[in-house]
């Protein structure tokens, strides 16, 4: 079964700092990759997704992520964070294989981002 | 579209009581997923349905948990009897057949079992 690792549990940055959140997955086959964001007290919202093509994916609110197949990674980046980016960020993987469970997402444990004004 | 709707948003109950969580998926979506989120285990898939039929319930923790989808616009997750360790946020999500992997989440039900 696939697994997803988000190595940083809590990241604290000042406004305007650059952000990179790590995500690694374990599955040797074809994958679809996602980043979700959960603002305090709210539900998960899709930030960006990668299915195929250009490994550099741009999402909403200035976020982007790069899929590096050789490293099994899908790191999330933003050049300059804002206080409103304070949230929890989840990486998720969908492994492409046939059979029951092939549509499920496996989530990482999440990374809390706190942006200090 | 109103998005995925869940009720109640908050539920506090006593150990041993029955709890029913409700979900209305986005209209036209073919798949419905139930997740549980805890500090210890993160976000876990419990069960998912395709066209109202349960496809994979391997994530359901034990027999105290059951889920139904009587029609395309309604699903329930029931815990009977509830235990304190069931305290968590329960999310429902739905997706289209064409892009099942892209799931849209509801606001969640925060459950506290005393």
């Amino acid at each position: 079964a696939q697994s997803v690792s988000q190595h940083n549990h809590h990241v604290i940055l000042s406004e305007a700092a650059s952000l990179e959140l790590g995500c690694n997955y374990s599955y040797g086959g074809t994958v679809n990759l996602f980043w979700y964001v959960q603002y305090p007290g709210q539900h998960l919202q899709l930030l960006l997704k990668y299915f195929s093509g250009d490994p550099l994916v741009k999402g909403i609110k200035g976020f982007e992520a790069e899929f590096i197949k050789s490293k099994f990674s899908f790191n999330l980046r933003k050049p300059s964070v804002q206080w409103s980016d304070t949230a929890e960020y989840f990486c998720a993987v969908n492994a492409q294989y046939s059979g029951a469970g092939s549509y499920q997402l496996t989530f990482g444990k999440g990374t809390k981002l706190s942006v200090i004004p | 579209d109103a998005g995925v709707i869940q009720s109640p948003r908050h539920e506090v109950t006593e150990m041993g009581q029955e709890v029913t969580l409700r979900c209305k998926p986005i209209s036209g979506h073919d798949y419905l997923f139930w997740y549980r989120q805890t500090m210890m285990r993160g976000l876990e898939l419990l069960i998912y349905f395709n066209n109202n039929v349960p496809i994979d319930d391997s994530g359901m923790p034990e027999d105290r948990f059951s889920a139904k989808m009587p029609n395309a616009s309604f699903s329930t997750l029931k815990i009977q009897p509830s235990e304190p360790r069931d305290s968590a946020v329960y999310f429902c999500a739905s997706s289209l057949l064409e892009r099942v992997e892209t799931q849209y989440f509801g606001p969640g039900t925060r459950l506290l079992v005393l």
Side-chain angles (χ1 to χ4, degrees), chain A:
Chain A
Q2 62 271 25
S3 65
V4 179
S5 297
Q6 291 182 244
H7 306 296
N8 304 106
H9 180 63
H10 192 184
V11 172
I12 302 172
L13 295 173
S14 298
E15 274 194 317
S18 65
L19 169 71
E20 180 158 4
L21 301 182
C23 171
N24 288 91
Y25 64 92
S26 64
Y27 182 70
T30 303
V31 292
N32 298 318
L33 298 156
F34 305 79
W35 276 98
Y36 282 83
V37 59
Q38 187 176 25
Y39 296 103
Q42 296 189 26
H43 60 284
L44 280 87
Q45 301 171 43
L46 184 64
L47 204 53
L48 50 78
K49 57 189 176 185
Y50 170 82
F51 292 137
S52 63
D54 189 344
L56 186 61
V57 180
K58 294 194 185 301
I60 59 172
K61 304 186 181 186
F63 285 91
E64 64 178 32
E66 185 175 13
F67 170 49
I68 303 179
K69 191 174 180 180
S70 60
K71 294 185 178 180
F72 298 91
S73 69
F74 190 56
N75 292 355
L76 181 70
R77 300 196 291 248
K78 186 171 183 179
S80 175
V81 295
Q82 301 171 315
W83 176 78
S84 57
D85 294 324
T86 295
E88 190 158 13
Y89 293 81
F90 293 88
C91 181
V93 171
N94 162 250
Q96 292 291 288
Y97 61 93
S98 61
S102 58
Y103 294 132
Q104 73 174 64
L105 292 177
T106 300
F107 284 84
K109 289 281 180 68
T111 297
K112 278 190 170 62
L113 172 65
S114 299
V115 180
I116 303 168

Side-chain angles (χ1 to χ4, degrees), chain B residues 26-43:
Chain B
I26 294 173
S27 178
H29 278 198
D30 310 279
Y31 284 79
L32 184 140
F33 303 81
W34 281 102
Y35 289 88
R36 177 172 68 176
Q37 184 182 38
T38 61
M39 291 286 290
M40 292 296 296
R41 300 173 69 90
L43 205 61

Side-chain angles (χ1 to χ4, degrees), chain B residues 10-114:
Chain B
H10 301 273
E11 176 83 26
V12 180
T13 190
E14 291 187 343
M15 184 172 65
Q17 296 298 306
E18 178 179 294
V19 175
T20 300
L21 311 180
R22 297 173 178 79
C23 174
K24 182 181 187 318
I26 294 173
S27 178
H29 278 198
D30 310 279
Y31 284 79
L32 184 140
F33 303 81
W34 281 102
Y35 289 88
R36 177 172 68 176
Q37 184 182 38
T38 61
M39 291 286 290
M40 292 296 296
R41 300 173 69 90
L43 205 61
E44 305 171 278
L45 177 67
L46 300 177
I47 184 171
Y48 77 91
F49 296 82
N50 174 23
N51 291 331
N52 316 337
V53 176
I55 302 300
D56 186 354
D57 65 354
S58 58
M60 296 284 262
E62 47 196 277
D63 292 345
R64 298 184 296 107
F65 286 69
S66 62
K68 293 182 181 178
M69 192 165 185
N71 57 62
S73 59
F74 183 64
S75 176
T76 59
L77 178 68
K78 190 174 290 189
I79 309 172
Q80 166 63 13
S82 58
E83 296 182 4
R85 61 193 167 116
D86 301 330
S87 298
V89 181
Y90 291 82
F91 287 102
C92 176
S94 69
S95 64
L96 285 165
L97 174 65
E98 293 77 19
R99 267 303 180 204
V100 180
E101 312 84 1
T102 304
Q103 298 172 19
Y104 297 87
F105 284 74
T109 295
R110 190 173 293 275
L111 173 66
L112 178 60
V113 183
L114 301 173

